[in-house]
Amino acid sequence: MRFISLRLKTLLMAVLLAAALLAGSALAYATDAAQVWNSGARSLPVYSVERTDNKIAISFDCAWGTDHTDAILSCLEETGVRATFFTVQFWAENYPEYLKKIADAGHEVGTHSATHSYMSRLSEGEIRAELESSCAAIEQVTGKEVTLFRPPYGDYDDLLIDTCLDMGVLPVQWDVDSLDWKDLSAADIAERILSRVRSGSIILCHNNGLHTAEALPIVIDGLRAKGFEFVPVGELVYRDNYTIDATGRQFPQAAQ
């Protein structure tokens, strides 16, 4: 009995030691993963841009309807602001007259995918098909090359970002969310944007937000009063010789 007890005790000690080693290994792995995330080592889209000239960009995602698009375009024309519109392929195909109107007004058009899917769930082949198809549909209407992409739902992984870059399409997110899709009041939309913008910011709005057009004059006048200048996303970002930190802020290499 004593022999059996000793064997059990030895076995128990071995199990406890193995568990401790595994826990230590898991902790080290978690620490390493956190360090990789914090270092910005994973592939990231552009959320904002390091600039000292107070240039910013306002963008509109186009996926559903056009009820408020004319009002938005009228405001942008009246204020002389050029924006970037990210359009889903089925939106571009359903409303080609609006897509042409946007492009002809001097605004920039990027793709928002073909089907508005969660792109991190797709294979590389499926990602390429979504981008190729949506870019072709937009270019057919606008006659202009598409070089920017915004992932639907803000959803992405390393494969998506790396595939975009390999295809020459820059993935772009935002650092200022208007939350206009929640049907906030014009005053609330304006307050959210005005309190968050800094030089190099990218603002997210939607072409069919209920109160977006109403908020735009407040936003544009307010930001200009603070010394900001509106440019399309393509004129805000860097195309080469840049790095991206862990927050998705893009830096020119010489500034690092």
Side-chain angles (χ1 to χ4, degrees):
M1 291 292 295
R2 186 177 176 184
F3 174 71
I4 294 174
S5 176
L6 182 60
R7 286 190 62 183
L8 286 174
K9 192 177 295 184
T10 303
L11 179 60
L12 179 60
M13 289 179 63
V15 169
L16 290 174
L17 178 59
L21 290 172
L22 285 172
S25 176
L27 179 61
Y29 175 81
T31 302
D32 289 344
Q35 288 172 346
V36 168
W37 175 272
N38 291 332
S39 72
R42 70 180 300 234
S43 301
L44 291 170
V46 177
Y47 281 80
S48 66
V49 183
E50 181 66 15
R51 301 190 68 107
T52 58
D53 55 10
N54 273 351
K55 288 184 178 179
I56 58 175
I58 187 164
S59 63
F60 299 87
D61 288 358
C62 304
W64 316 108
T66 59
D67 294 348
H68 307 284
T69 306
D70 282 320
I72 288 173
L73 290 174
S74 293
C75 178
L76 295 175
E77 182 179 6
E78 290 167 5
T79 55
V81 170
R82 290 181 300 134
T84 301
F85 289 77
F86 290 95
T87 72
V88 180
Q89 180 176 336
F90 59 71
W91 189 92
E93 292 173 340
N94 287 337
Y95 308 105
E97 71 280 8
Y98 273 94
L99 180 55
K100 183 166 175 41
K101 190 184 297 186
I102 288 167
D104 288 350
H107 301 298
E108 181 178 49
V109 182
T111 176
H112 195 34
S113 81
T115 61
H116 208 268
S117 300
Y118 285 94
M119 302 291 282
S120 68
R121 301 174 185 177
L122 304 183
S123 67
E124 180 180 346
E126 290 169 328
I127 291 170
R128 288 182 179 273
E130 285 264 342
L131 292 175
E132 289 170 356
S133 179
S134 58
C135 288
I138 293 168
E139 291 169 4
Q140 184 176 3
V141 175
T142 66
K144 299 175 183 177
E145 183 183 10
V146 176
T147 61
L148 299 174
F149 167 64
R150 173 165 287 158
Y153 312 105
D155 170 62
Y156 64 90
D157 60 4
D158 288 359
L159 176 62
L160 174 63
I161 302 307
D162 294 342
T163 302
C164 287
L165 295 176
D166 184 63
M167 295 177 68
V169 179
L170 186 68
V172 176
Q173 297 278 71
W174 62 87
D175 66 324
V176 179
D177 190 346
S178 68
L179 293 184
D180 59 349
W181 60 273
K182 288 189 171 184
D183 294 342
L184 299 183
S185 69
D188 286 343
I189 292 171
E191 191 280 329
R192 282 189 59 81
I193 295 174
L194 292 171
S195 64
R196 289 166 170 77
V197 166
R198 57 175 172 159
S199 184
S201 279
I202 299 172
I203 304 165
L204 169 65
C205 296
H206 296 79
N207 76 299
N208 214 31
L210 185 60
H211 299 293
T212 307
E214 185 184 349
L216 270 183
I218 307 170
V219 169
I220 293 169
D221 290 346
L223 291 176
R224 279 179 168 163
K226 291 183 176 184
F228 292 108
E229 176 187 352
F230 291 90
V231 296
V233 170
E235 295 180 19
L236 185 76
V237 297
Y238 305 113
R239 294 291 184 169
D240 48 35
N241 298 319
Y242 66 83
T243 57
I244 295 181
D245 71 10
T247 70
R249 191 163 177 86
Q250 192 185 42
F251 289 79
Q253 241 166 3
Q256 285 287 73

